[in-house]
Amino acid sequence: MTNDNRNFITFAILAVLILLGSQFVTHWFFPANPPVTKIEGGKTKVQPNTTAPAPTTAATLQNLTTVLQQSAGQRVPIQTPTLKGSINLKGARIDDLVLSKYDETIARNSPPIRLLSPAGAADAYFASFGWDGIGGAVPNDNTVWTAQGSVLAPGKPITLTTANAQGQRFAIELSVDDQYMFTVKQTVANAGGAPVEVATKSMVMRADKSKDPDSWTIQVGPMWMHNGGADYSINWSDVDKGTPAVTTTGGWEGFTDKYWLTALIPDQRVPFTGSYTSSGGKDYTATVVGNRTTLPAGKEFSETSRFFAGAKEVRVLNHYEDQAKVPLFGRAIDWGWFEVIEKPIFTYLDWLFHMVGNFGVAIMLLTLTIRALIFPIAQRQFASMAAMRAIQPKMKALQERYKDDKQRQQTEIMKLYKEEKVNPLAGCLPTLIQIPIMYSLYKVLMLTIEMRHQPFVAWIKDLSAPDPLTPLNLFGLLNFTPPHFIAIGVVPVLLGISMWLQFRMNPAPMDEAQKQIFAFMPWVLMFVMAPFAVGLQVYWITSNLLTVLQQKVLYARHPELMKPVKK
């Protein structure tokens, strides 16, 4: 068997392994957003949102409505430009909250995202505020508070009050801004005859895990910032096994979905203890207990904390971190290793979007910008390719001369590179630069809510999800849903074609096996990239087409690349 045949068979086996293994790798390391539409009968149909914190199905809506009606007489409305809901006076809970700006699906009549729901409802998820200490004589889940104020709105705080039989009076003053931040001032006055020990206590409780998958690249579940750092290591299974409490000064803790966050933010000037607990793999609770204080008779003690419940908008999170001094709040988005690249890409992409009004066009303009920036590197790449092509006959001669002495062969080839002033790795530089850019764009499309449900053209209603239109069922005209593995969308097919065009523009290698490999590569990558977000594929298609145009320009500068290699 010749070396060329052996190389080709090796690549073929490798390609099959890549195709078979790419689904697993993609699911765990690079999960995709679920499609928001499905093409059936040649028409676009909206898919239900199965990852919303509390999807509004008929059953859950009826259950929720019943629970809210049962407590209707003990609720105070919440009304802000971004939030709608109510506070339950029983237990001092924020347990009814929808996000007015965000819908569950792209349908016109879609309900808004419901983030918090009361106990007893499906997908219960709520925050409560109280105290720990005084021998247990503190308000509890069954305490019905008295409200001063008829509605909680920006500039309109409310105060909840109650008292115990020992003479202690408790007050919770709640205020809210025009985004997603509640301020909670908890006060206890000791009118009893003896000192008492007391500490503020805040909790966020959810009945079950998030419906968003927790993956290697995206943190979903428990999240906290403590001791000056962001801790992404804790997950649902860690809480099930039991995690130690952490005592720190400064920080916050809560639960994160991909796009939504609840966070308890205690007073940053005093120590607090944070912990997570669960009950049999359900009923997950994040608890923050403030610094325990001895309160003399006749004195009162106050502590102010904050509670965030809303969307993880980059601008809003950065505002709270910079202006409201919430440490590392921007890290509620798990940017990962390439944050230094991802944030500038997001900022520039978001700016382009506000300029042109279409994220697909913005991605194309981003691609054009990146290609322009790396054009000088591409010029050096072509110069290197020209030099490498020129010395191919000499390399072949050395390989043939020293075919029985591999060490000597490598030594002579390296000597040839040095004499001819050729760097064999220079041609790889543009590709290596593209890898972190591609990964960063993937993270931006997956993580930032600003990209959620952003349409492009025609059937593409969400650039952050895979292409729903596939030729395999005649674009939805056939009553047949292809298996996920072969359900290649139209955009991935266009990606494969653009890669094929780009590879055709490359100088043909002398090695026959390499020629065969390059002929297969575009179609292998087409299958690998099919599950990814359309926005990422749009970036790559645009990049490939710009590369073809760029190659035409550079071939004109390096005509020797078009000439046959001399034997």
Side-chain angles (χ1 to χ4, degrees):
M1 183 182 292
T2 65
N3 283 336
D4 285 351
N5 289 336
R6 188 180 296 111
N7 290 340
F8 177 72
I9 292 173
T10 301
F11 170 76
I13 294 172
L14 210 63
V16 172
L17 292 175
I18 290 172
L19 288 174
L20 294 176
S22 63
Q23 301 298 311
F24 169 77
V25 172
T26 299
H27 176 74
W28 176 243
F29 291 99
F30 306 106
N33 286 332
V36 300
T37 60
K38 185 178 181 180
I39 312 297
E40 289 183 349
K43 296 181 180 180
T44 298
K45 296 185 178 180
V46 177
Q47 292 282 79
N49 185 354
T50 58
T51 62
T56 311
T57 62
T60 58
L61 182 59
Q62 183 178 7
N63 172 249
L64 174 66
T65 302
T66 301
V67 173
L68 289 175
Q69 286 176 346
Q70 291 171 350
S71 57
Q74 54 192 37
R75 290 191 169 273
V76 177
I78 299 171
Q79 295 179 4
T80 83
T82 56
L83 300 172
K84 294 290 184 292
S86 60
I87 299 165
N88 193 345
L89 296 179
K90 185 177 180 180
R93 294 176 173 178
I94 301 177
D95 64 355
D96 169 30
L97 206 62
V98 297
L99 309 184
S100 309
K101 290 170 55 178
Y102 297 100
D103 295 335
E104 282 190 11
T105 71
I106 63 171
R108 290 183 179 180
N109 59 347
S110 171
I113 285 288
R114 171 164 288 278
L115 183 60
L116 302 183
S117 299
D123 301 305
Y125 189 6
F126 55 87
S128 66
F129 305 93
W131 282 265
D132 186 38
I134 318 181
V138 293
N140 57 36
D141 294 344
N142 295 315
T143 300
V144 178
W145 295 67
T146 300
Q148 298 175 5
S150 58
V151 61
L152 177 61
K156 295 181 179 179
I158 66 165
T159 300
L160 312 182
T161 59
T162 190
N164 64 14
Q166 288 74 34
Q168 284 83 42
R169 297 190 300 272
F170 304 89
I172 302 174
E173 182 181 327
L174 289 166
S175 58
V176 65
D177 65 11
D178 60 355
Q179 293 296 328
Y180 308 109
M181 189 71 79
F182 296 85
T183 300
V184 186
K185 182 180 179 182
Q186 294 167 259
T187 302
V188 55
N190 184 12
V196 294
E197 279 195 351
V198 65
T200 58
K201 185 177 182 180
S202 305
M203 294 185 293
V204 173
M205 291 160 276
R206 60 186 305 163
D208 209 342
K209 302 180 180 71
S210 169
K211 294 179 176 63
D212 290 324
D214 183 19
S215 68
W216 184 73
T217 54
I218 301 173
Q219 172 72 12
V220 169
M223 175 177 284
W224 56 10
M225 308 292 158
H226 58 84
N227 295 315
D231 187 351
Y232 299 119
S233 63
I234 186 173
N235 55 39
W236 301 111
S237 60
D238 294 326
V239 177
D240 291 338
K241 297 172 187 174
T243 56
V246 173
T247 299
T248 182
T249 300
W252 52 273
E253 72 169 289
F255 295 103
T256 182
D257 299 282
K258 182 188 293 186
Y259 296 126
W260 328 111
L261 173 71
T262 56
L264 299 169
I265 308 164
D267 189 324
Q268 300 297 294
R269 299 165 298 177
V270 296
F272 71 90
T273 299
S275 62
Y276 287 99
T277 56
S278 73
S279 174
K282 289 185 177 292
D283 298 326
Y284 292 88
T285 304
T287 304
V288 168
V289 178
N291 197 29
R292 192 167 293 276
T293 300
T294 300
L295 184 61
K299 299 293 183 180
E300 71 175 31
F301 166 71
S302 296
E303 195 164 277
T304 300
S305 63
R306 285 169 287 181
F307 171 59
F308 178 94
K312 296 196 294 187
E313 299 171 13
V314 175
R315 179 186 59 82
V316 171
L317 297 179
N318 290 340
H319 166 78
Y320 287 134
E321 180 173 336
D322 298 335
Q323 304 300 320
K325 305 302 179 187
V326 182
L328 301 174
F329 210 54
R331 299 291 294 277
I333 298 176
D334 182 10
W335 295 104
W337 296 338
F338 294 104
E339 179 179 1
V340 68
I341 303 175
E342 291 162 24
K343 279 193 169 181
I345 284 179
F346 166 78
T347 302
Y348 182 54
L349 189 58
D350 193 51
W351 178 79
L352 288 172
F353 167 67
H354 285 93
M355 292 288 290
V356 300
N358 184 296
F359 257 116
V361 176
I363 289 172
M364 296 170 74
L365 293 174
L366 168 71
T367 314
L368 182 62
T369 304
I370 292 172
R371 297 302 304 186
L373 290 174
I374 66 175
F375 184 77
I377 299 173
Q379 284 183 298
R380 288 195 291 272
Q381 175 197 21
F382 266 72
S384 174
M385 288 170 63
M388 284 291 294
R389 190 172 176 81
I391 67 170
Q392 281 290 320
K394 295 181 181 180
M395 284 184 60
K396 283 288 186 180
L398 291 173
Q399 290 169 350
E400 184 64 28
R401 184 181 304 171
Y402 301 109
K403 62 182 179 181
D404 297 325
D405 187 350
K406 296 298 182 182
Q407 185 174 355
R408 177 69 185 277
Q409 182 187 106
Q410 290 300 316
T411 301
E412 292 297 327
I413 289 175
M414 294 304 294
K415 183 180 177 181
L416 176 65
Y417 288 154
K418 188 174 181 181
E419 290 173 351
E420 299 290 341
K421 298 180 179 179
V422 171
N423 181 1
L425 299 179
C428 302
L429 191 56
T431 302
L432 293 175
I433 290 174
Q434 290 278 52
I435 291 174
I437 293 174
M438 287 279 289
Y439 179 74
S440 297
L441 182 58
Y442 162 77
K443 289 290 290 272
V444 167
L445 286 166
M446 285 297 296
L447 286 175
T448 56
I449 193 170
E450 290 82 355
M451 306 295 168
R452 178 180 182 263
H453 292 179
Q454 288 293 344
F456 182 28
V457 293
W459 72 93
I460 301 174
K461 306 300 183 183
D462 188 351
L463 283 160
S464 68
D467 183 359
L469 187 64
T470 174
L472 293 178
N473 60 3
L474 294 183
F475 309 107
L477 292 174
L478 297 179
N479 187 21
F480 160 65
T481 302
H484 180 70
F485 178 70
I486 60 172
I488 307 300
V490 172
V491 177
V493 171
L494 295 176
L495 174 60
I497 294 171
S498 70
M499 284 188 286
W500 176 76
L501 286 172
Q502 181 190 338
F503 281 12
R504 280 199 64 188
M505 291 292 294
N506 288 337
M510 293 181 63
D511 187 88
E512 287 299 321
Q514 289 184 25
K515 290 181 182 178
Q516 294 173 331
I517 289 171
F518 286 158
F520 272 102
M521 187 66 73
W523 316 115
V524 173
L525 292 176
M526 178 185 72
F527 276 90
V528 171
M529 288 298 298
F532 284 84
V534 172
L536 192 63
Q537 296 164 3
V538 168
Y539 171 85
W540 203 347
I541 291 170
T542 308
S543 180
N544 289 340
L545 295 178
L546 289 172
T547 299
V548 170
L549 180 62
Q550 177 180 281
Q551 284 173 322
K552 287 184 175 293
V553 174
L554 292 175
Y555 276 138
R557 297 185 180 184
H558 300 280
E560 63 273 17
L561 283 171
M562 301 297 293
K563 298 176 182 178
V565 178
K566 296 178 181 179
K567 300 292 183 181

